[in-house]
């Protein structure tokens, strides 16, 4: 497969904008009159140091500054699975989440038909990281090893578990002594554990580069494992379409380019989020994308009108779909 084409920062700004919509308290938003400004919006983000939270904070600031709401708050969370639950319970209006986590919620009927997308925000890259001095060169070398697979409540735990199962290294099917021991560790905890040797590998899903990983690459020395051979099996055992994507060379120190598993990242809300709020946010984000690019991002994102509406099978909010049609025809 040829390498993915480079994406300009300007294009990245457009994509992030259209997708990165902010969140509001469900109760207050749903109750407002057709053009009433909601008093508060919340954006469920992620853990400290991650792309999710940085993006959510920029979005919340823009929503408040542009008077879409009186007050906007970015929430620190465990990640995708927690974010989905917060949206469904009304604790947050909008949330960033991995598409496979959203697909699982709808397939299991956990959303009661209420979970919808505002757009595809960007591409997530599964980082499978070992110490450079570990001697581990391939995913198969992880047999019998210990892996940090994301914080409880994160979408990484779901994706990592599926990749490990696809490699035949999960549970009894792995064979005696070959199963990967999966430990729930957040981004910063996993990096510390990799440093002190209490885990052999960390699996983390995020943007490129993820700032704490980039810092560790400079001070510790890390290697990213190629996961491309596991993409077909991961798709097959989960019935979800994972992408083969490239982490560019030099994203982490002098590390070479490496192919890995990609998962679309969606901006989610409930179906009963007020139409005028959805419309205002989409229009604002399309127009002011430049304010929503985290400092850590190299702009390796999905960012065309065609990909923004490609939400991995999850339906768009009707008002978002109408707004995209109005903007892009």
């Amino acid at each position: 497969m040829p390498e993915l084409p480079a994406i300009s920062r300007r294009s990245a700004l457009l994509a992030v904008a259209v997708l990165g919509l902010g969140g509001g308290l469900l109760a207050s938003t749903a109750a407002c009159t057709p053009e009433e400004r909601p008093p508060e919006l919340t954006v469920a983000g992620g853990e400290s140091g991650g792309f999710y939270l940085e993006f959510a904070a920029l979005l919340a600031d823009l929503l408040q500054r542009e008077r879409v709401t009186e007050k906007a708050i970015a929430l620190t969370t465990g990640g995708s699975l927690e974010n989905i639950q917060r949206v469904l319970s009304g604790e947050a209006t909008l949330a960033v989440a991995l598409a496979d986590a959203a697909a699982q919620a709808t397939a299991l009927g956990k959303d009661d038909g209420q979970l919808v997308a505002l757009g595809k925000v960007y591409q997530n890259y599964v980082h499978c990281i070992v110490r450079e001095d570990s001697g581990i060169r391939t995913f198969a070398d992880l047999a019998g090893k210990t892996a940090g697979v994301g914080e409880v409540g994160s979408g990484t735990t779901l994706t990592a578990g599926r990749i490990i199962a696809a490699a035949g290294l999960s549970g009894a099917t792995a064979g005696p002594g070959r199963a990967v021991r999966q430990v729930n560790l957040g981004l910063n905890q996993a990096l510390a554990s990799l440093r002190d040797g209490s885990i052999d590998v960390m699996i983390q899903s995020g943007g490129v580069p993820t700032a704490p990983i980039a810092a560790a690459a400079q001070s510790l020395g890390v290697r990213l494992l190629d996961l491309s051979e596991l993409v077909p099996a991961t798709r097959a055992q989960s019935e979800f379409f994972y992408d083969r994507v490239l982490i560019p060379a030099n994203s982490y120190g002098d590390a070479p380019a490496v192919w890995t598993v990609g998962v679309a990242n969606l901006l989610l809300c409930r179906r009963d989020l007020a139409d005028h709020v959805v419309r205002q946010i989409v229009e604002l984000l399309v127009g002011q994308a430049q304010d929503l690019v985290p400092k850590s991002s190299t702009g390796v994102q999905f960012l065309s009108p065609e990909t923004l509406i490609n939400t991995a099978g999850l339906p768009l909010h009707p008002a978002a779909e109408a707004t995209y049609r109005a903007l892009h025809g």
Side-chain angles (χ1 to χ4, degrees), residues 31-86:
C32 27
T33 58
E35 299 301 329
E36 181 182 352
R37 183 165 59 227
E40 183 173 284
L41 299 176
T42 52
V43 187
E47 59 184 308
S48 178
F51 188 95
Y52 283 26
L53 185 59
E54 190 177 0
F55 176 78
L58 291 172
L59 178 58
D61 179 71
L62 182 62
L63 292 172
Q64 185 168 317
R65 188 170 73 245
E66 296 298 325
R67 304 287 291 167
V68 174
T69 179
E70 297 294 334
K71 181 180 181 181
I73 302 171
L75 303 176
T76 302
T77 72
S80 296
L81 299 177
E82 180 180 338
N83 290 352
I84 290 169
Q85 290 307 311
R86 286 186 180 233

Side-chain angles (χ1 to χ4, degrees), residues 81 84-85 87-89 101-115 158 270:
L81 299 177
I84 290 169
Q85 290 307 311
V87 165
L88 293 177
S89 69
Q104 177 178 261
T106 57
L108 296 176
K110 293 181 177 180
D111 68 331
D112 203 22
Q114 285 296 312
L115 194 65
L158 174 65
R270 283 179 57 110

